[in-house]
Amino acid sequence: MRIAFAAFLLVSTMPAQAATLHKFEALAMAPRGDVVAAVEGAEDGTARAAVVVRSVMDGRIVRRIDPCAACTYSDLAYGPDGTLAFLSRNRGAGTVSLDLADQRARVRTIATIRGIAQEPRFSPDGRRVALLVTLDAAKEAGATQAGARQVGEIGETSDEQRLAVFDVAANVAAGAIRPVSPEGRYVYEYDWTPDGSGFVATTALGNGDNNWWVATIDAIDATSGTVRQIAKPATQANFPRMSPDGKTVAYIGGLMSDFGAVGGDVWTVPFVGGKPVNTTPGYKASVTSLAWLPSGLRATILSGADASIVRFGADTRGAVLWTKPANLSAGDARVAFSADGRIAASVVQDFEHAPAVYAGPVQALRQITHDNDALPAAVTARSVTWTNGGFTIQGWLLAPRGIDPAARAPMIVNVHGGPASASVPAYVAANSTGADLAAAGYYVFLPNPRGSYGQGEAFTQANRRDFGGGDLKDILAGIDAVEKVAPVDDDRLGLIGGSYGGFMAMWANTQTNRFKGIVAGAGLSNWISYYGTNGIDQWMLPFFGKSMYDDPKAYWDVSAINFIKRARTPTFIYVGERDIEVPPTQSIEYWHALKEMGVPTSLVIYADEGHRIRDAAHAADMRKRTIAWFDKYVKAAR
C-alpha cells in the first residue's frame, strides 16, 4: 500500500504523446565520479532501452551497451575498478544474466539465473559479485506484483529470495546456481562487510511478501551462509549499511507500511550484536535512503515539500548539502555517490519538469541531461501548508495550465497509499490520470496528512490505531486551506485514492457528504474480513497494536462497512484480479453494499493485475472510466 501507487495516478503508463518521455532508471555512478550509467529509453517503448554511460561533466554519451536483443536491463552497479555490473532479463527464456561490462563496453556473463534476480553488489576488493536470486520464481518479487493463483493446496510453499555470490571470472550456468544464504530465509536487502567475509542483511523466515514487517538484521557468512542475528528492531528496517571500519550497522528504522516505501530515523547497532540506538530522535524530517561512505554517513531526507541530501555526523540534525522541492531517485538509493563522496548524481523530477539526471559536486548538483526539456507542463504546482490538531501539514495543489485564475473550478482530492508514505513531486506526463484531470479542468489536491512521511517519525506514527480519524480531519482542513488560495468550487469536490488511499475513499463516503463523486482503487472496506484474506497481514500489527483476533473492535471501528448506511456518494471502484495486498473481495464487498444501499456504483476487476494496474489497455480503461465518473458526478454537480 505504497508510495508508488500515488505516483501511478500521475505518471504516464501509455504511449502516444507529442514528445516521448525519456526514462532514466537504475542510475549508478563510477567510483571516480567521472561517469554515470543508467538504463535509458523511451517510456512508450518506441526507442529500445539500453545501458547508457554518460560523462558527469557535460552529460554527453560515452558508450551505449546493448548486448542482448531479446533482453531488458536493470540493476546497475559499479565495481571498485570501474567495471559495470547489470542484469539482462530474457523473459521468453525465463532467465536473468549477471553481466559485466569493462570500460571499453566489452560484455561477458558471469552467471545465468533461471528465475528472477536483483541488486548486484561488488565485494570491496572487486573480485566477487553478490546477487539476490529467486530460483524458479512463481511471481515477480514484491507484494504489489500480481500474486500466484491460489489453487490446490495453498500456503505451503513460497518464493525464496536468497543471496548468491559469484567470482568475476566465472560463468555459472543456470542449473549450477547455489545460493549461499540458507533455504527458508528471505533476504530483502544487504551490504558487504568491509573485509568481504560476509554481509549485513535484513531477513525473515517464511513468506517474503508477508514477513518483512518482522524482519531482523542479521550477519551472513559469505562462504558458509551461516546466519547470526545482530538485532531484532522494534520498528521496520530498511537500508542496512556497514560502517567503513566494520564495527557498526546503520539502518533506517520507523513505522513503515510497505517494503520500499522508506521513511524513518537513523538507527545504529554494533555489528557484533546489541540493542539498536536511535541516533536522530525527534528529527523533523523522514530519512529516505542511506549510504555509508569512507567520508561518513550520507542520507536523503524528505522535509515538508523538499528532498535533501544530508551528511550525518556528530550533529544528528544532519548538515544539508543540497535541497530541492523535487523527487530524487537512483539505483541503489535516491542518490549515487563517487567512492570519496564528493561527487553525486540523481534523477530529478517535479510536477512540471520531466526526469533529468543531475550530477556534480554534491553541494552543487546541476542538470546534465536535456532529453526531456521539450516536454510540456500540464499543471502549475504549488506547496500548501495548513494547521490542524496541533500539526502543521503540507500538501500539493496542481492547477491546470491556462485555467482562468478567477473562475471557480472543480477539484479532485488524491489521497496517497501507505499510510506511511507521501505524495511527492512526479512529472505529470501525457496519457496519465493527472494529465487527464488537468485537461478536463480539474484542480488536483495531494495532501500529506498525519501518518505521512516528511515531518518526522512522531508525525508518521500519529495515525496508529486512528485510521480515517485525524488523517481525514487533516484532509478536510486542507481543502479549506486550498479554497483560501485558489478558486475551488466547494460544491464540486471529488475524491480519489488507491490502496490505503482507496480505504480513505471508501471510508470518507461513510463519514462526510462533502464529495460529489469518489474513485476507489484497491481499497479496504472491511478490516475484519481483510485480515484473514490478504497476503501481508503482518503489516497491520505495528499500526493496530494487536491482531484482529485479539482486538476485533479496533478493526471493526474503522471499517467502512460498519457505517455503510451513511454512504451517499456515487463511487467507481477498480482492483486487480490477483492483488495480494488488498484482495478484490474488499472491493466486491463494498460494491455489493453500495448496491444494496441504492448508491450509484460501478466495479471493474482487471484480469491478471496485482496491486497496480500495469497493462496499458487496462490503464487506459481505468483512466477513461475515472474521468467519465468525475465528469458525471462532480463537474456536473450544482
Side-chain angles (χ1 to χ4, degrees), residues 410-430:
M411 184 175 76
I412 306 302
V413 180
N414 182 351
V415 183
H416 65 68
S421 184
S423 286
V424 296
Y427 177 62
V428 181

Side-chain angles (χ1 to χ4, degrees), residues 69-80:
C71 296
T72 57
Y73 306 113
S74 67
D75 296 80
L76 279 55
Y78 274 101

Side-chain angles (χ1 to χ4, degrees), residues 121 238-241 250-253 265-267 287-292 297-300 312 332-335 337:
R121 288 179 181 271
N238 267 102
F239 284 94
R241 296 293 181 259
Y251 66 92
I252 300 173
D265 290 326
V266 178
W267 293 69
V287 181
T288 55
S289 70
L290 275 184
W292 208 330
L297 196 61
R298 302 292 185 270
T300 57
F312 283 111
D332 189 40
R334 293 189 175 274
V335 176
F337 293 95

Side-chain angles (χ1 to χ4, degrees), residues 549-570:
Y549 306 115
D550 292 325
D551 190 5
K553 185 177 183 299
Y555 291 78
W556 184 238
D557 285 348
V558 292
S559 294
I561 291 297
N562 187 17
F563 303 96
I564 197 63
K565 290 189 175 182
R566 299 180 185 175
R568 298 289 185 272
T569 306

